[in-house]
Amino acid sequence: MLLNWTVMILYNYFSAMFVGPGYVPLGWTPEKSQDCMYLQYCKVCQSYKAPRSHHCRKCNRCVMKMDHHCPWINNCCGYQNHASFTLFLLLAPLGCIHASFIFVMTMYTQLYNRISFGWSSVKIDMSAAKRDPRPIIPFGLSAFAASLFALGLALGTTIAVGMLFIIQMKVILTNKTSIESWIEEKAKDRIQYYQTGETFIFPYDMGSKWKNFKQVFTWSGIPEGDGLDWPVRDGCHQYSLTIEQLKQKADKRVRSVRYRAVEDYSGVCCPVTKGVKTFFTTPCTEEPRIALSKGDLILATRGLKHWMYGEKILDSAADGGIRERGWFPRKCVEKCQYDSETDQPVDGEKKNR
């Protein structure tokens, strides 16, 4: 049984790793040219982003139905390997539960005849088993310590990976990805902030958990569709989600605040020279840091108490249109009093837009 668990776990693990998520073809454009207005353009891939696709900085490609980039498989979880990745998250805890049962029963049976209870103490004799015939494999102190350590690993893996499996099943049963769940939350925040009276309906939820489940898991192991065109629920548009993404991009540009660098920053993860609080409160994320030179302009979109995230304003012609986005220490910048493009105070303009 343990060999069966091992084979199934490794098969799905390597399938998720080597099959990959599926990438949007380089230079891809929709069949109807007028549909380009609903899509974002990726300057790195030189193509439009298909519905439900996102650009991964690690893979350096636009990934079809991207859920997240997983460092444990060194690949993205997306359209083609979502089922294999989820099965791996299911089988790993089941195998660990089986192993935990074996460890517990082994320690129980080995210690049962070695424990003696006194009036005020409990003694364990680990020298040898008090039974005949002697066990083929001796169970000494080192074996007990190793079994106890392995039991802790098995239980820890069961809890950690099991929670990831539950999270994945929640998004699969609603036919979403982790990124799309985040987009939906931001859509609700945008509508509430501007009081537009809109109602955002996620277009890819088929209205049935079983239908959503079949979008990912099939008997052939090949997911439905081609990763570019997706069935939508009644009353929704093929590009409903991408239109909402464009609205959020425009809203982010409106809400962004311009800052100017007053100190140099090398881009290291934990800068020692920027203060103790900045050092110990570095963002726990895979998002990059951007190096700053005194006088650089940055559009900040979000921030923490001692860190901010934004995009450096570059000369598009000189830098080939490459965008530099990432985290930087808050103490390295100061807020610009006036927007150089409109010559108006940034705070007074932000709400009016």
Side-chain angles (χ1 to χ4, degrees):
M1 193 63 187
L2 278 175
L3 289 176
N4 288 332
W5 288 126
T6 304
V7 170
M8 291 188 292
I9 289 171
L10 292 179
Y11 173 78
N12 286 282
Y13 175 77
F14 287 115
S15 294
M17 179 185 297
F18 293 113
V19 170
Y23 302 106
V24 178
L26 297 175
W28 180 85
T29 57
E31 294 181 0
K32 298 179 181 180
S33 59
Q34 60 268 28
D35 291 342
C36 294
M37 62 183 295
Y38 303 126
L39 300 173
Q40 300 179 70
Y41 186 78
C42 179
K43 296 180 180 179
V44 178
C45 298
Q46 296 294 307
S47 62
Y48 286 92
K49 295 181 181 179
R52 312 191 76 178
S53 67
H54 303 275
H55 186 84
C56 175
R57 288 191 300 265
K58 302 289 185 181
C59 299
N60 204 31
R61 288 289 301 273
C62 286
V63 178
M64 293 189 292
K65 195 189 174 185
M66 178 179 174
D67 186 87
H68 67 286
H69 183 91
C70 179
W72 305 111
I73 64 173
N74 194 31
N75 212 333
C76 279
C77 175
Y79 163 68
Q80 290 184 350
N81 64 352
H82 202 175
S84 298
F85 181 78
T86 307
L87 286 174
F88 164 71
L89 296 182
L90 170 64
L91 295 171
L94 292 179
C96 288
I97 291 173
H98 186 192
S100 300
F101 178 78
I102 294 175
F103 289 136
V104 170
M105 293 306 299
T106 299
M107 289 187 289
Y108 172 77
T109 55
Q110 292 294 327
L111 294 178
Y112 180 77
N113 293 322
R114 304 176 188 225
I115 300 178
S116 58
F117 295 92
W119 288 104
S120 60
S121 64
V122 178
K123 296 182 180 180
I124 301 177
D125 182 11
M126 296 299 296
S127 59
K130 298 178 180 178
R131 63 178 183 177
D132 291 320
R134 294 293 184 95
I136 299 175
I137 302 176
F139 190 83
L141 185 60
S142 59
F144 174 76
S147 299
L148 193 62
F149 178 72
L151 175 63
L153 288 180
L155 293 177
T157 302
T158 301
I159 296 173
V161 181
M163 291 178 62
L164 293 177
F165 170 73
I166 293 174
I167 294 173
Q168 286 298 312
M169 285 306 302
K170 284 183 178 179
V171 297
I172 288 175
L173 294 178
T174 55
N175 203 11
K176 300 175 185 176
T177 64
S178 301
I179 296 177
E180 289 167 351
S181 298
W182 186 42
I183 293 174
E184 186 178 29
E185 290 297 322
K186 291 196 296 182
K188 296 177 182 178
D189 293 340
R190 181 186 64 82
I191 293 172
Q192 183 179 6
Y193 181 81
Y194 289 105
Q195 299 294 319
T196 60
E198 302 174 64
T199 301
F200 177 75
I201 301 175
F202 186 75
Y204 305 113
D205 187 353
M206 298 290 99
S208 168
K209 292 182 178 180
W210 175 243
K211 291 181 179 179
N212 293 334
F213 182 83
K214 291 193 297 182
Q215 287 284 312
V216 177
F217 296 96
T218 60
W219 289 111
S220 63
I222 302 174
E224 292 187 359
D226 59 358
L228 299 174
D229 297 318
W230 301 90
V232 296
R233 64 189 302 169
D234 295 337
C236 292
H237 192 263
Q238 177 66 236
Y239 301 106
S240 295
L241 186 66
T242 58
I243 292 172
E244 174 60 31
Q245 289 179 260
L246 292 173
K247 291 180 180 180
Q248 293 180 12
K249 292 284 185 182
D251 178 52
K252 187 167 70 171
R253 287 193 294 268
V254 170
R255 293 197 192 189
S256 62
V257 180
R258 182 169 297 194
Y259 285 81
R260 184 185 302 276
V262 295
E263 295 181 17
D264 293 339
Y265 169 56
S266 61
V268 296
C269 180
C270 301
V272 180
T273 60
K274 304 304 177 184
V276 176
K277 293 182 179 180
T278 302
F279 179 84
F280 285 105
T281 59
T282 182
C284 298
T285 173
E286 291 185 354
E287 292 175 314
R289 275 64 170 167
I290 54 174
L292 299 178
S293 299
K294 191 173 182 179
D296 287 344
L297 295 176
I298 310 99
L299 283 177
T301 56
R302 51 194 165 100
L304 303 173
K305 186 174 182 180
H306 301 287
W307 288 83
M308 301 189 73
Y309 184 90
E311 178 179 346
K312 188 188 295 187
I313 302 176
L314 302 172
D315 184 359
S316 299
D319 295 280
I322 299 176
R323 302 166 64 183
E324 288 191 29
R325 292 181 295 177
W327 292 93
F328 54 90
R330 186 182 287 268
K331 68 174 300 182
C332 294
V333 296
E334 66 177 6
K335 188 176 180 180
C336 295
Q337 297 299 321
Y338 295 95
D339 192 325
S340 60
E341 296 180 358
T342 60
D343 200 31
Q344 296 292 330
V346 176
D347 286 340
E349 186 180 357
K350 182 173 67 172
K351 184 68 176 178
N352 294 333
R353 290 184 184 177

